[in-house]
């Protein structure tokens, strides 16, 4: 009984903020900051958001960046994890240490050097630059995780592929990847969420309404003197929809992939 009660309370605490944002998005502006739970519901915040702001442009920019971050993140993480798991090569240990150490630095420390690098390459205020930046976040963690996942797949499968005449890439593509679907799902989910919800880099590297992502666009609703809580709440709800859909698509693989990726270091 106590356990069930604790779980119910924890669930309510977890759900309440999201529910409050949803309800705020349905309130008129005059009631947005009140404690009224549900009063005079309206869709005006949504219609105003889509009609009067570049929200759809920001949404498209975020989708584009998240898509390529996910695609490249999965490819690089899987190939790196497989190479480190299966092959011996010079610098292997150093590579893994580099991937691990990069996760130790906070965003605030990395913004300036990454900004300078992107500036020297002409990638500031450019979707490509932001994709590259997000790869520095997603790939190190996912490569480590995929290495652990590939370690859990018997090497005899690789050997059977070699016997059948497959080269290492053919073995990886045709035999190993189909067995790695749970790990790939976790990698894709993590890469997508990294690009979709990141704020600091998007705000620092992108300017102009036509280039902003959703993270940067939301800041347009807050200024020094006031905040437009209704449109901001509506935008937050719409932003959560793609992330929720990706989660629903990947959820059956998430637990398996995370646990399998932690089997071996």
């Amino acid at each position: 009984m106590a356990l069930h009660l604790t779980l119910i309370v924890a669930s309510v605490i977890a759900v309440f903020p999201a529910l409050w944002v949803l309800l705020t998005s349905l309130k008129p502006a005059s009631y947005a900051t009140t404690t009224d739970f549900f009063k005079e519901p309206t869709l005006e915040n949504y219609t105003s958001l889509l009609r009067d702001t570049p929200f759809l442009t920001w949404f498209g920019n975020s989708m584009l960046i998240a898509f390529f971050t996910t695609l490249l993140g999965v490819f690089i993480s899987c190939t790196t994890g497989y190479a480190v798991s299966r092959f011996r090569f010079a610098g292997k240990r150093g590579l893994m240490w580099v991937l691990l150490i990069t996760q130790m630095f906070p965003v605030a420390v990395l913004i300036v050097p990454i900004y300078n690098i992107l500036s020297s390459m002409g990638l500031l205020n450019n979707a490509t630059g932001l994709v590259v930046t997000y790869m520095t976040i997603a790939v190190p963690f996912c490569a480590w995780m995929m290495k652990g996942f590939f370690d859990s797949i018997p090497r005899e499968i690789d050997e059977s592929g070699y016997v059948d005449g497959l080269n290492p890439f053919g073995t990886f593509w045709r035999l190993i990847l189909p067995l790695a679907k749970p790990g790939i799902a976790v990698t894709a989910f993590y890469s997508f969420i990294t690009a979709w919800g990141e704020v600091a880099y998007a705000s620092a590297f992108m300017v102009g309404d036509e280039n902003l992502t959703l993270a940067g666009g939301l800041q347009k609703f807050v200024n020094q003197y006031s905040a437009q809580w209704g449109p901001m709440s509506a935008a937050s709800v719409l932003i959560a929809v793609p992330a929720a859909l990706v989660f629903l698509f990947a959820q059956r693989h998430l637990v398996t992939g995370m646990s399998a990726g932690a089997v071996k270091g």
Side-chain angles (χ1 to χ4, degrees):
M1 181 63 181
L3 176 60
H4 291 161
L5 182 61
T6 301
L7 291 175
I8 291 173
V9 172
S11 299
V12 171
I13 293 174
V15 171
F16 182 78
L19 178 61
W20 187 259
V21 170
L22 174 62
L23 295 178
T24 300
S25 72
L26 297 173
K27 293 180 184 178
S30 57
Y31 296 110
T33 57
T34 65
T35 56
D36 295 313
F37 202 70
F38 198 64
K39 191 168 186 177
E40 299 183 15
T42 177
L43 294 176
E44 178 60 28
N45 290 320
Y46 290 92
T47 57
S48 175
L49 175 71
L50 298 176
R51 183 185 63 240
D52 303 329
T53 72
F55 177 83
L56 293 179
T57 300
W58 303 337
F59 191 92
N61 292 340
S62 290
M63 284 297 297
L64 180 68
I65 291 170
F67 172 78
F68 281 105
T69 300
T70 302
L71 183 66
L72 294 175
V74 169
F75 177 76
I76 296 176
S77 298
C78 288
T79 52
T80 302
Y82 181 73
V84 173
S85 173
R86 291 297 198 262
F87 305 118
R88 294 182 178 180
F89 53 88
K92 172 180 174 179
R93 182 178 295 273
L95 172 63
M96 297 309 293
W97 272 109
V98 168
L99 294 178
L100 183 62
I101 291 173
T102 56
Q103 300 295 291
M104 299 170 58
F105 296 97
V107 171
V109 174
L110 298 175
I111 283 183
V112 173
I114 292 179
Y115 183 94
N116 291 333
I117 292 172
L118 294 182
S119 178
S120 66
M121 298 175 65
L123 294 177
L124 281 179
N125 209 30
N126 186 298
T128 301
L130 209 52
V131 170
V132 172
T133 301
Y134 291 151
M135 299 284 285
T136 66
I137 303 173
V139 169
F141 169 78
C142 293
W144 263 101
M145 184 191 65
M146 291 305 299
K147 174 191 178 299
F149 192 90
F150 289 131
D151 284 344
S152 68
I153 297 177
R155 290 177 179 269
E156 287 77 9
I157 295 178
D158 300 66
E159 295 170 359
S160 67
Y162 300 150
V163 170
D164 291 338
L166 294 177
N167 57 30
F169 184 80
T171 301
F172 167 72
W173 181 259
R174 298 180 61 179
L175 300 181
I176 303 301
L177 275 188
L179 299 175
K181 287 182 180 179
I184 294 173
V186 176
T187 297
F189 179 73
Y190 183 79
S191 299
F192 180 86
I193 293 300
T194 295
W196 189 253
E198 200 279 329
V199 176
Y201 291 130
S203 301
F205 302 158
M206 307 294 280
V207 295
D209 285 343
E210 71 280 2
N211 296 318
L212 289 179
T213 63
L214 289 169
L218 280 183
Q219 299 182 42
K220 294 288 186 178
F221 297 116
V222 180
N223 57 44
Q224 184 178 357
Y225 304 104
S226 64
Q228 298 173 276
W229 296 113
M232 183 185 295
S233 299
S236 299
V237 172
L238 295 178
I239 290 171
V241 172
L245 292 177
V246 171
F247 175 79
L248 290 175
F249 176 77
Q251 65 172 339
R252 67 192 182 96
H253 295 301
L254 290 179
V255 174
T256 303
M258 290 295 287
S259 59
V263 170
K264 295 183 180 180

